[in-house]
Amino acid sequence: MAIKVSKNVSIEQQKKVLVEEAWLKYYNQVLFEKGVITERERNLMINMIDARTTKSLSR
């Protein structure tokens, strides 16, 4: 996924946002695999995580 990164976002902030995204997606997948959330809920959460990442990197 290509994300347009603002010049105002530092490298450290970019790293932090991408690490957070990875953990959120990991736990989302774990919850799905354990049957805690449905496929629809998993997909909605993925969209929300992607939107959060894009917003954080485009400041």
Side-chain angles (χ1 to χ4, degrees):
M1 173 174 76
I3 298 173
K4 183 177 179 183
V5 178
S6 172
K7 292 180 182 178
N8 296 334
V9 180
S10 71
I11 297 294
E12 289 302 315
Q13 183 63 25
Q14 290 175 33
K15 287 179 185 178
K16 180 181 179 218
V17 168
L18 294 174
V19 168
E20 287 175 359
E21 176 188 27
W23 277 109
L24 289 170
K25 286 184 175 180
Y26 167 76
Y27 284 118
N28 188 47
Q29 184 63 29
V30 168
L31 291 173
F32 173 68
E33 290 173 0
K34 300 270 186 198
V36 176
I37 61 175
T38 65
E39 182 176 7
R40 179 178 179 278
E41 291 169 323
R42 179 194 66 173
N43 293 340
L44 287 171
M45 188 57 69
I46 289 171
N47 291 337
M48 291 170 67
I49 294 166
D50 287 343
R52 178 182 184 270
T53 301
T54 302
K55 181 180 175 186
S56 295
L57 292 179
S58 64
R59 292 183 179 172

